[in-house]
Structures are given as structure tokens and as C-alpha cells.
């Protein structure tokens, strides 16, 4: 809570290209919250450098992520859209929170364990303290709810623990945030290994459909999607993870229920079904892509938005950081 306002906050990394999993699991649902909450959506470029980035790519993706936010329906008049590194309070609060976060807690984070296995040659301290920067993001805005995919829930829970610990020592500092899974949000699985989450860092290009893939690419990827040796379009995530994942996707993009889909494809082979999933996905993404490309064509306008967003965000961030510094005993001379 900031004054009378309830706050919703979320972030997306500008690393890798965003997938339909990011779209359905998170971004598509972000606009729902602006009715009820004051909303902040951040492009978290400082989180992205916990793994090595090519500077030109990071910069381009930062613009692209902001443009995608808007293309997915976030109106910059109704939501504060901004870039993390442009608001210096994030890094400052992150340092402070590092001093209130335990080594053991960070060691238990599954994302840290996964990423350090994947980047064994670069297990840097930033990768380890990633969750304290994320906690700073959330707590700076006195956030009430954090819309995230299921994989980020553990980080939000750690953020709550840190905030509660801090409040115990310095009462009334932070609002305790709650993770919320989007109403229609869901976990989208890899097309190549349907028991694994679809991930933008997957090395197998056929496993992942990107929001910006063109129609032919989308249809080709769905044609190659791994299913099973059966022939029935039936929802059974245990026995038929591939087909069930495709059914979820079809349902998300068409608005049809699983039962309707089972009826629609009763007696059809997997080939026809996969083609239908590809088509409905390409149709649904077409307007998002068109809007994205027109936004990207005007860099100046995007930069003006970044500036406006950072100014809006700073107004809130400054207040919380000043409160924290005062409570801690840092000298404040105005
Ligand atoms: N860690 C999140 C992810 O990888 C991104 C993120 C950073 C975030 N800061 C956040 C999400 C604050 C919600 C709130 O998806």
C-alpha cells in the first residue's frame, strides 16, 4: 500500500526472446490488474546481467521488452512501465536487503541451483543474490500483489520472509507482498520435452515458440511437437503430456474449453490437430506482432516512455528508500 493505493508489481527480464509461455503465463494477464491496482511493470536489465549478455543485444531487448509490454495490451497511461537500471534505488535497497538475507536461504533457491548447474563456469555472487534484488524491486513500491508464474513463487516467498524480518526489527517499513498466479495463467511446457517447462533459454529451437515468430515458423514448430504413440486428442497430462500441452495452448488462444476441444478433434489424427494449434496460435499473435513492430519503429517515442516511466517509479522508490535509510541510522542531510 502506498497511501490509499494498492500496488501490483511485476518484472520481465530482457534476456532471450519472450515465449508464448511468458505471454500466457504472465504478460497477457498483466493488464487485468490495472483496474484494481496501481501497477508497475519493470524491464529488469540488472537481473539479466547475472548471466553474460552481449551489450548491443541487451540494449535492443530492453526496447523490445518495453514495446512488447505495450503490444500485449499495457497502456503506459494506466501502468508505470520502466527500466530497472534507470531507477538507482533498486540497487541501493538490494544492498541493504543483502544484509537481512541469510546465506542458507539463498542457497535453497531452486532457480539458483538450476542456473548454477547451467552456468557452471560463472556462478557469480549476483546469481546468488538475484532474489534480494528482486525483493528490492517489490518492496520499494510497497507492493501488495506480485503477479508471477509458478517458477517465481519461491522468490516472492523469500521476499516476504525478508520483509517480515526487516519489519520485526524496524516496524512498519514494508508492505508484505503476496504472489498471485494470473487467473488464466498457466504453465506452458516445451514442445520437444513436454514434461519440462517451455523456457526462452532452451537450446532446442523447436522446443520453444516465441511471441515474435512468424506464422510459418509457428506452424512448423507445432507440426514437429512431440506427442505420443497414441492417436487420441484427449487431456491427460500424466499419460499424454505432449497432447495435453497442445490442448492447453489451443484452449488459451481460442477460448474454447478442454471438453469442446476433445469433441472438436474426436476422430482426428494428431497431424490435423497440430496444424490447428499452430494456426490458432499464429492468429492470436498476429495483432500483438503488428503492434510490436509499429512501436519498435519509433525509438524516440519508446525512449520518451522510458524516461516518463522511470520518473514515475522514482517518486515511489525514493520515498521507501529514504524511510529505510532513516530507520537503519544512515545520516540524512537535506
Ligand atoms: N525474476 C523474475 C523472472 O525471471 C523477474 C523479476 C525481477 C520479477 N524482479 C521482479 C518478477 C519483481 C516479479 C517481481 O521472471
Amino acid at each position: 500500500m502506498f497511501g490509499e493505493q494498492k500496488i501490483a508489481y511485476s518484472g520481465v527480464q530482457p534476456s532471450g526472446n519472450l515465449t508464448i509461455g511468458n505471454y500466457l503465463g504472465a504478460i497477457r494477464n498483466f493488464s487485468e490488474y490495472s483496474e484494481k491496482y496501481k501497477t508497475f511493470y519493470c524491464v529488469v536489465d540488472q537481473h539479466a546481467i547475472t548471466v553474460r549478455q552481449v551489450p548491443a543485444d541487451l540494449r535492443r531487448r530492453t526496447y523490445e521488452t518495453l514495446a512488447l509490454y505495450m503490444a500485449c495490451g499495457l497502456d503506459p497511461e494506466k501502468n508505470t512501465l520502466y527500466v530497472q537500471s534507470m531507477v538507482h534505488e533498486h540497487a541501493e535497497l538490494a544492498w541493504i536487503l543483502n544484509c537481512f538475507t541469510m546465506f542458507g536461504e539463498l542457497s535453497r533457491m531452486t532457480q539458483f541451483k538450476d542456473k548454477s548447474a547451467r552456468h557452471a563456469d560463472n556462478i557469480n555472487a549476483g546469481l546468488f543474490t538475484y532474489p534480494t534484488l528482486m525483493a528490492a524491486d517489490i518492496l520499494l513500491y510497497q507492493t501488495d500483489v506480485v503477479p508471477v508464474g509458478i517458477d517465481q513463487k519461491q522468490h516472492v516467498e523469500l521476499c516476504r520472509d525478508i520483509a517480515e524480518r526487516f519489519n520485526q526489527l524496524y516496524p512498519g517499513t514494508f508492505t508484505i507482498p503476496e504472489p498471485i498466479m494470473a487467473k488464466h495463467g498457466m504453465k506452458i511446457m516445451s514442445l520437444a520435452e513436454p514434461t519440462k517447462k517451455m523456457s526462452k533459454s532452451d537450446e532446442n529451437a523447436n522446443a520453444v515458440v516465441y511471441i515474435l515468430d512468424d506464422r510459418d515458423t509457428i506452424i512448423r514448430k507445432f507440426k514437429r511437437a512431440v506427442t505420443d504413440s497414441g492417436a487420441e486428442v484427449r487431456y491427460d497430462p500424466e499419460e499424454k503430456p505432449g497432447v495435453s500441452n497442445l490442448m492447453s495452448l489451443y484452449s488459451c488462444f481460442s477460448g474454447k474449453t478442454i471438453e469442446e476441444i476433445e469433441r472438436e478433434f474426436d476422430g482426428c489424427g494428431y497431424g490435423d490437430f497440430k496444424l490447428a494449434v499452430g494456426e490458432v496460435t499464429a492468429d492470436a499473435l498476429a495483432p500483438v506482432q503488428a503492434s510490436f513492430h509499429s512501436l519498435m519503429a519509433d525509438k524516440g517515442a519508446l525512449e520518451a516512455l522510458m524516461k516518463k516511466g522511470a520518473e514515475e517509479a522514482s517518486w515511489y522508490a525514493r520515498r521507501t528508500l529514504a524511510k529505510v535509510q532513516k530507520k537503519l541510522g544512515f545520516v540524512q542531510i537535506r
Side-chain angles (χ1 to χ4, degrees), residues 9-11 13 44 47 130 134 137-138 146 148 152:
Y9 188 100
S10 195
Q13 287 198 47
V44 293
H47 279 106
Y130 180 112
M134 180 162 160
D137 299 343
I138 296 168
V146 187
V148 278
Q152 292 298 315

